[in-house]
Amino acid sequence: MKLYTKKAHELHDLLVNKEISAAELVRAQAERIEAAEPKVQAFITRTFDDAMAQAAKVDAKIAAGEAIGPLEGIPMALKDNMCTDGVRTTCASKILHNFVPPYDATVVTKLKEAGAILMGKCNMDEFAMGSSTENSRFFATRNPWDIERVPGGSSGGSAAAVAAGQAVFTLGSDTGGSIRQPAAFCGVVGMKPTYGAVSRFGLVAFASSLDQIGPFTRDVRDNARVMNAIAGYDLKDSTSAPVDYPDYEALLGQSVKGWRVGLPKEYFGEGIGPEVKAVIEKAVKVLEGLGAEIGECSLPHTEYALPVYYLIAPAEASSNLARYDGVRYGYRSEEAPDLNTMFKKTRAEGFGEEVKRRIMLGTYALSSGYYDAYYLKAQKVRTLIKGDFDQAFEKFDVLLSPTSPTVAFKFGDRTDNPLQMYLSDICTLSVNLAGIPALNINAGFANGLPVGLQLMGKAFDEAKLLQLAYAYEQATGCHSQTPDLGV
């Protein structure tokens, strides 16, 4: 039995029925990580010893006849920008290469309480800045569908680990598409929840008004199950929303007949690859066959999403990353004769090129004389972008688009052209600016590579996205296809 091909809900049943033990499951998962890692390179840190200790506790609980939770004993991994008590958290940066947090992020605490077992921390673009995971200061993660191609970013390690069977589920963070785009490239399910639905406490900040944590899974049921564990109000996060959160998994399987699905015309125009558009149009016909009512809509300010994002996100990043000065924690340059030189050399040596680029962009946008012209104006246009979505959701229950304009591209194709790299997220940026939820599912394949379908919903309406995605998944079976790594 290849346990690494199983989903969380399947493994839960095996554990409950005592067909496998948690220790056997963790051992099998560790073996899969070691076997696939030379090709995929998804992990920065591995925590196998701690995982085996946790597995022993789960097995003791089962042996005692106690009931276990839906995620108890299930191996998982985290993007390496979520604080883990006693486990190194690097953000794939030299400046945090030796940082060991003294506390857990809220999502980590929740998963521990749910009994999920941490296998390690996943690679990413440095400080979550990038769309290909080529910006990691350690190594580049490879796409399990074609190891000559990128897995997407910035949560590329988390997406690749799920696709390669190295983790049953993972968590990533999404600031402008960093869950959905790598989920699309790797053919897995990726949820970017509503801003405030999942606590950001303990997430190393990139752009605080845009960042959101969400799950990567192999199918929609698992995604709903993980959302049940991590969503909810948190007193430690001032942006956390005190609303009622449903049982996402229990709502799956309902009919989508009569649901109104909108296709924003701005997401189907120039720049969308013909092979991607063909797969998405086929997916729309599947939903139509399931009884959904399809119609066109417009989000007229979409063309401004890219410049607005690349003013707001770098501005917030320049503020958030000011704390890395070599004084309190993290890397410190040893080549500095005085304090000011130490600040400069620490940041010059500790940050990579993309991080420096965004700090400079953000500092310029916030500087005296330019704040009103750039940052303030960008925030005003952000309000207009949110207004477009509000109007669209008056007519439609869900909006649908490609997740990425292309399939996964090859290593090096865009590293010399930052603007071309930024365009990788053109279909996902508006969602973060509006603060609404969006979900990627695998719509099908083009030239043997996954094509992502993005579903966007009203604030705190993740349940509807999961229900529609589940209906599509059951009708097509695209989620059942997995890459062959030959190991």
Side-chain angles (χ1 to χ4, degrees):
M1 187 190 307
K2 291 182 178 179
L3 293 177
Y4 66 83
T5 65
K6 302 291 184 184
K7 285 118 181 147
H9 54 92
E10 296 169 338
L11 292 169
H12 173 75
D13 292 344
L14 292 173
L15 288 168
V16 168
N17 296 328
K18 298 183 180 179
E19 294 178 50
I20 58 168
S21 67
E24 288 170 335
L25 177 54
V26 167
R27 268 195 299 271
Q29 197 68 68
E31 288 169 5
R32 178 59 182 177
I33 291 171
E34 295 293 353
E37 196 60 5
K39 289 191 174 183
V40 180
Q41 298 188 145
F43 284 81
I44 291 175
T45 302
R46 298 167 223 187
T47 55
F48 296 165
D49 289 343
D50 289 346
M52 285 304 299
Q54 288 301 114
K57 293 178 182 178
V58 175
D59 285 335
K61 192 173 178 180
I62 294 171
E66 297 179 42
I68 62 170
L71 293 177
E72 203 152 0
I74 304 300
M76 58 87 180
L78 302 168
K79 185 176 181 179
D80 203 20
N81 61 348
M82 297 172 205
C83 288
T84 41
D85 187 4
V87 178
R88 191 170 66 130
T89 301
T90 70
C91 289
S93 179
K94 181 178 179 179
I95 211 160
L96 284 178
H97 75 286
N98 60 355
F99 175 57
V100 178
Y103 68 97
D104 282 327
T106 294
V107 289
V108 178
T109 300
K110 286 190 169 191
L111 289 175
K112 282 184 176 179
E113 290 171 351
I117 297 177
L118 179 65
M119 300 298 295
K121 309 288 290 288
C122 291
N123 196 26
M124 55 185 282
D125 284 299
E126 184 181 7
F127 281 101
M129 298 181 191
S131 304
S132 65
T133 316
E134 291 172 287
N135 290 332
S136 169
R137 292 300 293 276
F138 302 126
F139 45 81
T141 297
R142 302 186 185 111
N143 192 319
W145 291 93
D146 180 351
I147 60 173
E148 300 298 318
R149 295 176 184 268
V150 303
S154 61
S155 309
S158 295
V162 172
Q166 294 178 289
V168 180
F169 72 90
T170 60
L171 295 188
S173 64
D174 192 312
T175 308
S178 289
I179 289 174
R180 290 158 288 151
Q181 186 250 26
F185 281 8
C186 292
V188 297
V189 181
M191 166 71 83
K192 180 266 170 200
T194 306
Y195 186 78
V198 176
S199 173
R200 291 184 300 110
F201 177 78
L203 173 71
V204 178
F206 164 15
S208 302
S209 74
L210 300 166
D211 297 340
Q212 190 58 68
I213 295 171
F216 290 94
T217 58
R218 288 191 202 117
D219 70 359
V220 174
R221 181 174 293 282
D222 275 8
N223 210 274
R225 185 167 289 199
V226 178
M227 279 296 294
N228 279 345
I230 64 173
Y233 178 61
D234 179 21
L235 280 169
K236 294 177 181 176
D237 178 1
S238 62
T239 62
S240 182
V243 301
D244 291 329
Y245 295 89
D247 183 334
Y248 300 106
E249 188 176 1
L251 294 171
L252 299 180
Q254 297 183 14
S255 171
V256 299
K257 189 174 183 180
W259 283 25
R260 298 163 300 165
V261 178
L263 309 181
K265 63 182 182 181
E266 291 80 7
Y267 288 68
F268 290 87
E270 188 179 349
I272 305 300
E275 72 284 359
V276 169
K277 191 180 292 187
V279 172
I280 298 301
E281 287 172 351
K282 189 176 177 182
V284 169
K285 287 186 171 62
V286 171
L287 292 176
E288 217 166 5
L290 292 170
E293 298 172 4
I294 311 296
E296 187 180 81
C297 65
S298 178
L299 302 171
H301 294 95
T302 297
E303 64 179 300
Y304 303 112
L306 191 71
V308 166
Y309 177 86
Y310 278 101
L311 282 168
I312 293 173
E316 295 183 8
S318 73
S319 176
N320 280 325
L321 271 60
R323 69 192 69 174
Y324 304 109
D325 52 15
V327 175
R328 286 155 289 194
Y329 52 83
Y331 173 75
R332 177 187 295 178
S333 175
E334 297 178 358
E335 303 295 323
D338 57 68
L339 189 62
N340 282 336
T341 306
M342 188 271 285
F343 287 152
K344 292 175 183 176
K345 280 188 169 290
T346 292
R347 291 170 67 80
E349 296 166 11
F351 290 134
E353 292 304 311
E354 182 60 29
V355 174
K356 290 176 187 174
R357 182 182 292 117
R358 297 200 194 192
I359 288 173
M360 291 173 68
L361 278 170
T363 303
Y364 181 81
L366 291 175
S367 60
S368 178
Y370 294 103
Y371 178 90
D372 289 353
Y374 293 113
Y375 185 76
L376 184 61
K377 187 170 286 186
Q379 290 287 20
K380 289 178 178 178
V381 179
R382 179 182 189 173
T383 302
L384 296 176
I385 290 170
K386 183 182 182 301
D388 288 346
F389 281 104
D390 291 341
Q391 287 186 14
F393 287 128
E394 289 176 7
K395 290 181 62 179
F396 296 98
D397 299 303
V398 174
L399 302 183
L400 180 154
S401 79
T403 305
S404 171
T406 66
V407 293
F409 48 88
K410 290 190 174 183
F411 285 102
D413 276 3
R414 302 185 184 184
T415 48
D416 293 333
N417 188 339
L419 184 57
Q420 190 66 30
M421 184 73 81
Y422 296 166
L423 288 168
S424 302
D425 296 326
I426 193 67
C427 296
T428 55
L429 296 172
S430 294
V431 164
N432 297 79
L433 293 168
I436 60 173
L439 175 75
N440 174 81
I441 54 170
N442 187 23
F445 294 85
N447 302 318
L449 296 169
V451 173
L453 171 71
Q454 179 175 228
L455 301 175
M456 298 166 275
K458 301 172 189 175
F460 302 103
D461 208 1
E462 285 85 355
K464 192 155 280 184
L465 302 183
L466 289 162
Q467 289 169 50
L468 187 60
Y470 184 76
Y472 179 83
E473 193 178 75
Q474 296 304 300
T476 62
C478 282
H479 64 294
S480 62
Q481 298 186 49
T482 55
D484 181 9
L485 284 167
V487 293

mmCIF file of all heavy atoms in Angstrom, residues 117-136:
data_model
loop_
_atom_site.group_PDB
_atom_site.id
_atom_site.type_symbol
_atom_site.label_atom_id
_atom_site.label_comp_id
_atom_site.label_asym_id
_atom_site.label_seq_id
_atom_site.Cartn_x
_atom_site.Cartn_y
_atom_site.Cartn_z
ATOM 1 N N ILE A 117 0.708 15.971 12.526
ATOM 2 C CA ILE A 117 2.122 15.719 12.835
ATOM 3 C C ILE A 117 3.028 16.442 11.848
ATOM 4 O O ILE A 117 2.973 16.193 10.637
ATOM 5 C CB ILE A 117 2.411 14.210 12.824
ATOM 6 C CG1 ILE A 117 1.587 13.518 13.929
ATOM 7 C CG2 ILE A 117 3.896 13.942 13.005
ATOM 8 C CD1 ILE A 117 1.745 12.013 13.969
ATOM 9 N N LEU A 118 3.861 17.344 12.377
ATOM 10 C CA LEU A 118 4.761 18.137 11.543
ATOM 11 C C LEU A 118 5.958 17.314 11.096
ATOM 12 O O LEU A 118 6.703 16.780 11.917
ATOM 13 C CB LEU A 118 5.241 19.367 12.326
ATOM 14 C CG LEU A 118 6.223 20.297 11.593
ATOM 15 C CD1 LEU A 118 5.552 20.940 10.389
ATOM 16 C CD2 LEU A 118 6.764 21.364 12.548
ATOM 17 N N MET A 119 6.154 17.235 9.759
ATOM 18 C CA MET A 119 7.286 16.505 9.184
ATOM 19 C C MET A 119 8.442 17.441 8.822
ATOM 20 O O MET A 119 9.565 16.985 8.619
ATOM 21 C CB MET A 119 6.855 15.748 7.934
ATOM 22 C CG MET A 119 5.761 14.717 8.156
ATOM 23 S SD MET A 119 6.214 13.386 9.292
ATOM 24 C CE MET A 119 7.518 12.576 8.381
ATOM 25 N N GLY A 120 8.157 18.750 8.698
ATOM 26 C CA GLY A 120 9.227 19.669 8.346
ATOM 27 C C GLY A 120 8.702 20.993 7.830
ATOM 28 O O GLY A 120 7.496 21.240 7.795
ATOM 29 N N LYS A 121 9.651 21.860 7.432
ATOM 30 C CA LYS A 121 9.341 23.198 6.936
ATOM 31 C C LYS A 121 9.746 23.285 5.465
ATOM 32 O O LYS A 121 10.823 22.842 5.061
ATOM 33 C CB LYS A 121 10.106 24.259 7.745
ATOM 34 C CG LYS A 121 9.959 24.143 9.257
ATOM 35 C CD LYS A 121 8.583 24.556 9.740
ATOM 36 C CE LYS A 121 8.316 26.041 9.635
ATOM 37 N NZ LYS A 121 9.059 26.864 10.608
ATOM 38 N N CYS A 122 8.870 23.893 4.662
ATOM 39 C CA CYS A 122 9.022 23.868 3.203
ATOM 40 C C CYS A 122 9.710 25.106 2.650
ATOM 41 O O CYS A 122 9.557 26.221 3.170
ATOM 42 C CB CYS A 122 7.660 23.698 2.550
ATOM 43 S SG CYS A 122 6.931 22.076 2.819
ATOM 44 N N ASN A 123 10.395 24.910 1.541
ATOM 45 C CA ASN A 123 11.097 25.976 0.833
ATOM 46 C C ASN A 123 10.121 27.001 0.272
ATOM 47 O O ASN A 123 8.929 26.709 0.061
ATOM 48 C CB ASN A 123 11.939 25.368 -0.290
ATOM 49 C CG ASN A 123 12.988 26.319 -0.816
ATOM 50 O OD1 ASN A 123 13.435 27.220 -0.118
ATOM 51 N ND2 ASN A 123 13.401 26.125 -2.056
ATOM 52 N N MET A 124 10.644 28.191 -0.011
ATOM 53 C CA MET A 124 9.798 29.292 -0.470
ATOM 54 C C MET A 124 10.685 30.353 -1.108
ATOM 55 O O MET A 124 11.912 30.323 -0.983
ATOM 56 C CB MET A 124 9.053 29.903 0.722
ATOM 57 C CG MET A 124 9.994 30.360 1.849
ATOM 58 S SD MET A 124 9.167 30.944 3.330
ATOM 59 C CE MET A 124 8.689 32.592 2.802
ATOM 60 N N ASP A 125 10.070 31.298 -1.809
ATOM 61 C CA ASP A 125 10.804 32.493 -2.207
ATOM 62 C C ASP A 125 11.125 33.289 -0.948
ATOM 63 O O ASP A 125 10.298 33.383 -0.030
ATOM 64 C CB ASP A 125 9.963 33.355 -3.154
ATOM 65 C CG ASP A 125 9.900 32.793 -4.560
ATOM 66 O OD1 ASP A 125 10.957 32.668 -5.192
ATOM 67 O OD2 ASP A 125 8.794 32.459 -5.021
ATOM 68 N N GLU A 126 12.308 33.868 -0.897
ATOM 69 C CA GLU A 126 12.750 34.595 0.295
ATOM 70 C C GLU A 126 11.717 35.623 0.741
ATOM 71 O O GLU A 126 11.277 36.466 -0.043
ATOM 72 C CB GLU A 126 14.084 35.285 0.010
ATOM 73 C CG GLU A 126 14.687 35.982 1.218
ATOM 74 C CD GLU A 126 16.002 36.676 0.903
ATOM 75 O OE1 GLU A 126 16.382 36.728 -0.290
ATOM 76 O OE2 GLU A 126 16.643 37.169 1.844
ATOM 77 N N PHE A 127 11.316 35.520 2.014
ATOM 78 C CA PHE A 127 10.297 36.399 2.606
ATOM 79 C C PHE A 127 9.013 36.442 1.766
ATOM 80 O O PHE A 127 8.290 37.427 1.758
ATOM 81 C CB PHE A 127 10.842 37.814 2.835
ATOM 82 C CG PHE A 127 11.694 37.906 4.070
ATOM 83 C CD1 PHE A 127 13.069 37.909 3.973
ATOM 84 C CD2 PHE A 127 11.129 37.950 5.329
ATOM 85 C CE1 PHE A 127 13.871 37.961 5.110
ATOM 86 C CE2 PHE A 127 11.917 38.005 6.471
ATOM 87 C CZ PHE A 127 13.285 38.015 6.364
ATOM 88 N N ALA A 128 8.743 35.353 1.056
ATOM 89 C CA ALA A 128 7.517 35.200 0.248
ATOM 90 C C ALA A 128 7.471 36.160 -0.938
ATOM 91 O O ALA A 128 6.395 36.458 -1.449
ATOM 92 C CB ALA A 128 6.263 35.363 1.124
ATOM 93 N N MET A 129 8.626 36.606 -1.394
ATOM 94 C CA MET A 129 8.679 37.557 -2.506
ATOM 95 C C MET A 129 9.140 36.848 -3.774
ATOM 96 O O MET A 129 10.347 36.671 -4.003
ATOM 97 C CB MET A 129 9.616 38.718 -2.167
ATOM 98 C CG MET A 129 9.153 39.505 -0.961
ATOM 99 S SD MET A 129 10.236 40.894 -0.591
ATOM 100 C CE MET A 129 9.614 41.371 1.023
ATOM 101 N N GLY A 130 8.174 36.428 -4.587
ATOM 102 C CA GLY A 130 8.505 35.758 -5.835
ATOM 103 C C GLY A 130 7.375 34.879 -6.312
ATOM 104 O O GLY A 130 6.418 34.627 -5.584
ATOM 105 N N SER A 131 7.501 34.395 -7.531
ATOM 106 C CA SER A 131 6.453 33.584 -8.155
ATOM 107 C C SER A 131 6.986 32.269 -8.696
ATOM 108 O O SER A 131 6.338 31.631 -9.522
ATOM 109 C CB SER A 131 5.810 34.376 -9.309
ATOM 110 O OG SER A 131 5.315 35.609 -8.848
ATOM 111 N N SER A 132 8.179 31.854 -8.231
ATOM 112 C CA SER A 132 8.778 30.652 -8.812
ATOM 113 C C SER A 132 9.606 29.822 -7.830
ATOM 114 O O SER A 132 10.071 28.750 -8.170
ATOM 115 C CB SER A 132 9.679 31.038 -9.988
ATOM 116 O OG SER A 132 10.782 31.808 -9.519
ATOM 117 N N THR A 133 9.796 30.321 -6.616
ATOM 118 C CA THR A 133 10.656 29.721 -5.595
ATOM 119 C C THR A 133 12.127 29.705 -6.038
ATOM 120 O O THR A 133 12.954 29.052 -5.426
ATOM 121 C CB THR A 133 10.165 28.312 -5.183
ATOM 122 O OG1 THR A 133 8.743 28.366 -5.017
ATOM 123 C CG2 THR A 133 10.721 27.867 -3.833
ATOM 124 N N GLU A 134 12.447 30.454 -7.080
ATOM 125 C CA GLU A 134 13.840 30.622 -7.484
ATOM 126 C C GLU A 134 14.559 31.641 -6.599
ATOM 127 O O GLU A 134 15.776 31.751 -6.639
ATOM 128 C CB GLU A 134 13.917 31.074 -8.946
ATOM 129 C CG GLU A 134 13.496 30.002 -9.948
ATOM 130 C CD GLU A 134 13.391 30.538 -11.359
ATOM 131 O OE1 GLU A 134 12.434 31.281 -11.652
ATOM 132 O OE2 GLU A 134 14.266 30.224 -12.170
ATOM 133 N N ASN A 135 13.778 32.404 -5.801
ATOM 134 C CA ASN A 135 14.375 33.431 -4.956
ATOM 135 C C ASN A 135 14.763 32.921 -3.574
ATOM 136 O O ASN A 135 15.152 33.719 -2.722
ATOM 137 C CB ASN A 135 13.418 34.627 -4.800
ATOM 138 C CG ASN A 135 13.265 35.407 -6.081
ATOM 139 O OD1 ASN A 135 14.169 35.443 -6.908
ATOM 140 N ND2 ASN A 135 12.111 36.033 -6.270
ATOM 141 N N SER A 136 14.611 31.630 -3.317
ATOM 142 C CA SER A 136 15.104 31.069 -2.055
ATOM 143 C C SER A 136 16.612 31.247 -1.974
ATOM 144 O O SER A 136 17.320 31.074 -2.965
ATOM 145 C CB SER A 136 14.764 29.583 -1.975
ATOM 146 O OG SER A 136 15.435 28.972 -0.889
#
